[in-house]
Amino acid sequence: MTRSNMALAGALCLLAVLTGVRLLGGDPGIDLQAIFQGDDQEQAILTHFRGPRVILAMMTGAALAMAGTVSQVMLRNPLASPDIIGFTAGASAAAAAAILIFGDISAAMPGALAGGILAACLVFGLAWRDGISPLALVLVGVALNLMLITATDILLSLSPGILASEATRFLTGSFASADWRSAGLMALACLVLGGVLAGLAFPIDRLELGDDLAITLGLAPDRIRFCATVCISLIVAVSVAVAGPIPFIAFLAGPLARLAAARPGTVLGLSAVIGAILGIGADLLATLPIAGARLPAGVFTALIGAPAMLLLLLRLEVDRK
């Protein structure tokens, strides 16, 4: 068995354990015997609350992980995740604007979908100069990301207190409001768009060797990047629409998968499983009372992701020297 397969098997086992703990543990705990005996209350907790929440956390984590690892390999930059290059910020800003304009949290979903797609179009369009330069796309994305974050802060600052509070709570990122509709939508996006990315994984892995070599192999780098960017922006938009922005899963999953598998490339399957682990793990931490309160999952992914990003930057600096 190769190291990649061993890592995948280990990650699947860990995911199964975390899923079982999240479904059956917590307060209140789930009694399997009572479920088998037909206890309506236990079944309702499992099927109406924990079931969709676990599926949403797993599917969101897996989808963001696939989007992140593909963007990092495609742009030949480990920092080029949707969190950094503006896709997530675009979806978040548009979702916040929709909440504030229409005065209803339900407006966040169409707003996020529109904002994520628009941000991707802006990044791609501004970076286009007779083709797509990976460096130009990253730089444009980072600049747009900062602008969108600032725009979101301005919107929240100028909004009435109740609406600003609703938008702020949405922008922290959480799986607490999961239902079967949101879980099903995220699962569908993960399967369909993830399937497209899986089909693009082979040519995208070739792009890591450089555009000139990819062209000699009969590939069209700009077309591949465009198709992948469309899928990535849609995945991010759907994830923000159903759960709010969940930061750093897209950034972390790919490097962790490549480290565990000890090989370059997208490592798409392992990245997806690691993303699902991060999603479930963050939601599990979100159920723990801290100082009498429960923090949303997005807070925990940020707490883990920010130091990891710093470590990656330091490692890149050491490797460069």
Side-chain angles (χ1 to χ4, degrees):
M1 181 180 286
T2 65
R3 176 164 171 172
S4 180
N5 290 335
M6 291 176 62
L8 180 59
L12 286 170
C13 291
L14 179 57
L15 178 61
V17 170
L18 289 176
T19 301
V21 171
R22 182 65 190 94
L23 281 173
L24 304 178
D27 184 21
I30 299 295
D31 186 349
L32 278 178
Q33 185 176 356
I35 290 177
F36 292 139
Q37 291 174 351
D39 188 299
D40 292 338
Q41 182 177 347
E42 298 286 310
Q43 289 179 350
I45 293 174
L46 186 63
T47 57
H48 295 296
F49 297 99
R50 298 208 179 160
R53 184 164 174 168
V54 165
I55 291 175
L56 181 62
M58 282 197 301
M59 293 295 103
T60 302
L64 289 174
M66 288 189 285
T69 190
V70 166
S71 63
Q72 288 165 345
V73 174
M74 177 179 69
L75 300 175
R76 301 195 292 274
N77 190 327
L79 302 178
S81 77
D83 306 295
I84 310 300
I85 60 174
F87 295 178
T88 302
S92 301
I99 294 171
L100 300 174
I101 292 171
F102 296 102
D104 189 349
I105 193 70
S106 64
M109 181 173 289
L113 290 171
I117 295 170
L118 180 59
C121 291
L122 282 173
V123 171
F124 209 88
L126 292 172
W128 183 273
R129 295 291 185 277
D130 295 325
I132 284 294
S133 163
L135 179 59
L137 197 148
V138 171
L139 292 176
V140 169
V142 169
L144 185 63
N145 186 63
L146 294 173
M147 293 170 60
L148 290 168
I149 291 173
T150 302
T152 304
D153 290 340
I154 292 172
L155 279 173
L156 295 176
S157 299
L158 297 178
S159 301
I162 295 176
L163 287 179
S165 176
E166 287 287 324
T168 300
R169 186 165 62 250
F170 174 81
L171 293 175
T172 57
S174 173
F175 305 115
S177 60
D179 55 24
W180 285 113
R181 176 172 168 268
S182 60
L185 179 61
M186 193 69 246
L188 180 63
C190 184
L191 293 173
V192 174
L193 298 172
V196 175
L197 290 179
L200 292 171
F202 178 82
I204 286 172
D205 285 346
R206 306 286 85 74
L207 292 183
E208 197 172 24
L209 302 174
D211 286 7
D212 292 339
L213 181 57
I215 291 172
T216 62
L217 294 174
L219 302 176
D222 290 337
R223 189 181 305 166
I224 293 168
R225 289 194 183 96
F226 176 78
C227 293
T229 300
V230 169
C231 290
I232 291 166
S233 64
L234 288 173
I235 283 176
V236 170
V238 173
S239 70
V240 172
V242 299
I246 305 293
F248 287 108
I249 289 181
F251 173 77
L252 283 173
L256 289 176
R258 288 186 283 274
L259 180 64
R263 69 179 180 86
T266 54
V267 201
L268 203 65
L270 181 55
S271 295
V273 176
I274 289 175
I277 290 171
L278 293 173
I280 286 286
D283 190 50
L284 192 57
L285 291 172
T287 64
L288 302 177
I290 298 176
R294 286 179 170 84
L295 300 176
V299 171
F300 292 102
T301 58
L303 286 174
I304 296 170
M309 184 176 182
L310 179 60
L311 288 174
L312 180 58
L313 286 169
L314 293 174
R315 180 181 174 185
L316 290 174
E317 181 65 21
V318 170
D319 290 344
R320 187 179 67 83
K321 293 179 178 179

